[in-house]
C-alpha cells in the first residue's frame, strides 16, 4: 500500500543518512613522500635514519607556530599554540626504504580526524577538519622515541607547508575524511626518487635552553661589572 511504501522510503532515507554520517567519521590514509630531507639549509647530506619527523595540522589556518621545548607526541599542541596539533610522529627511514639516506616514504594509515577535537583535546581551539593546512617538521639531531620525543634547545629543524616555495606546497591541505590514499609530496631540486623537484624547505633553530639564557645573562653581568671597574680606574 501507499502507506507502507512511504514508511519504507522514510526508513531507507534514514538508513542512508546514518551510513553517510558514519562515513563522515571514516579514516583517511596518507602517504608522505618526502624525497630529500636535509639536516639544514647548507648541508646536502640526507636526514639520518631515526631522526624524528612530525606531521602537524593548523586547525585555524593562521600559520604554524615554531616548535617549543619539551616532550612532544601525537595529540600534543605544537609550539605551545592552541591551534596546531600533532597528527603523527615517525622516524626517518630513507636508508632502509631506498638505500639513500634522507629519503622518506611513510604511510599513515586510518587517521581519524575525530581523534583530534576540542572534546579529546580541551585546549585545542578548533577541531581538525578537511581544509586544514598541514606541515612536516623534522629534526636531524633529535631521535624519534615513538610516543614521547623531547624537543631540545638550539636544535635545527626543517619544515614544509602551504606557505613554502614549490609546486607541491599548495596541496598540503587535509582532504575530506572519506578520502583514502591521499599523497603529500616534497621533492627537492636534488631529487633522488622523484624525477623532478622544485620544493624548497625552510629551516630555523629552536629557542635556547633556559640554562643558556642564564649563562648569557651571567656573562653580560660579568662584562658589565668589568666595564664599571675599568671606568672607575680611568676616572680616578
Amino acid at each position: 500500500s501507499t502507506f507502507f511504501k512511504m514508511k519504507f522510503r522514510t526508513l531507507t532515507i534514514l538508513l542512508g543518512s546514518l551510513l553517510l554520517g558514519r562515513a563522515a567519521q571514516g579514516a583517511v590514509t596518507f602517504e608522505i613522500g618526502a624525497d630529500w630531507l636535509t639536516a639544514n639549509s647548507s648541508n646536502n647530506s640526507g636526514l639520518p635514519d631515526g631522526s624524528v619527523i612530525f606531521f602537524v595540522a593548523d586547525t585555524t589556518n593562521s600559520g604554524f607556530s615554531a616548535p617549543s621545548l619539551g616532550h612532544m607526541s601525537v595529540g600534543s599542541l605544537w609550539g605551545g599554540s592552541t591551534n596546531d596539533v600533532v597528527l603523527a610522529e615517525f622516524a626517518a627511514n630513507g636508508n632502509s626504504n631506498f638505500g639513500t639516506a634522507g629519503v622518506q616514504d611513510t604511510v599513515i594509515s586510518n587517521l581519524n580526524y575525530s581523534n583530534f577535537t576540542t572534546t579529546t583535546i580541551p585546549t585545542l581551539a578548533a577541531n581538525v577538519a578537511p581544509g586544514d593546512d598541514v606541515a612536516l617538521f623534522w629534526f636531524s639531531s633529535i631521535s624519534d622515541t615513538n610516543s614521547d620525543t623531547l624537543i631540545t634547545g638550539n636544535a635545527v629543524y626543517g619544515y614544509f607547508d602551504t606557505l613554502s616555495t614549490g609546486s607541491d606546497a599548495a596541496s598540503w591541505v587535509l582532504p575530506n575524511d572519506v578520502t583514502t590514499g591521499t599523497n603529500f609530496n616534497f621533492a627537492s631540486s636534488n631529487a633522488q626518487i622523484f624525477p623532478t623537484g622544485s620544493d624548497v624547505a625552510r629551516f630555523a633553530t629552536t629557542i635556547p635552553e633556559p640554562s643558556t639564557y642564564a649563562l648569557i645573562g651571567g656573562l653580560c653581568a660579568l662584562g658589565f661589572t668589568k666595564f664599571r671597574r675599568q671606568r672607575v680606574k680611568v676616572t680616578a
Side-chain angles (χ1 to χ4, degrees), residues 46-104:
L47 197 67
D49 273 6
S51 301
V52 68
I53 302 175
F54 294 98
F55 188 56
V56 183
D58 177 8
T59 61
T60 57
N61 290 345
S62 55
F64 289 92
S65 298
S68 57
L69 308 188
H71 293 271
M72 200 67 57
S73 59
V74 173
S76 295
L77 294 177
W78 182 255
S81 167
T82 58
N83 307 325
D84 307 335
V85 61
V86 178
L87 299 182
E89 174 190 342
F90 46 93
N93 63 353
N95 199 31
S96 58
N97 272 7
F98 299 115
T100 308
V103 177
Q104 177 68 40

Side-chain angles (χ1 to χ4, degrees), residues 136-214:
L136 205 64
F137 288 84
W138 59 91
F139 297 79
S140 61
S141 61
I142 301 177
S143 298
D144 170 51
T145 56
N146 294 320
S147 59
D148 190 16
T149 298
L150 178 64
I151 304 301
T152 57
N154 299 305
V156 176
Y157 64 92
Y159 61 105
F160 185 79
D161 62 5
T162 55
L163 297 179
S164 298
T165 302
S167 56
D168 292 313
S171 64
W172 282 65
V173 176
L174 290 181
N176 292 327
D177 58 357
V178 295
T179 306
T180 58
T182 300
N183 295 322
F184 289 104
N185 292 326
F186 170 83
S188 60
S189 58
N190 55 342
Q192 302 293 313
I193 300 301
F194 302 146
T196 59
S198 60
D199 296 327
V200 180
R202 291 176 285 174
F203 292 87
T205 305
T206 57
I207 61 174
E209 300 283 0
S211 57
T212 303
Y213 282 122

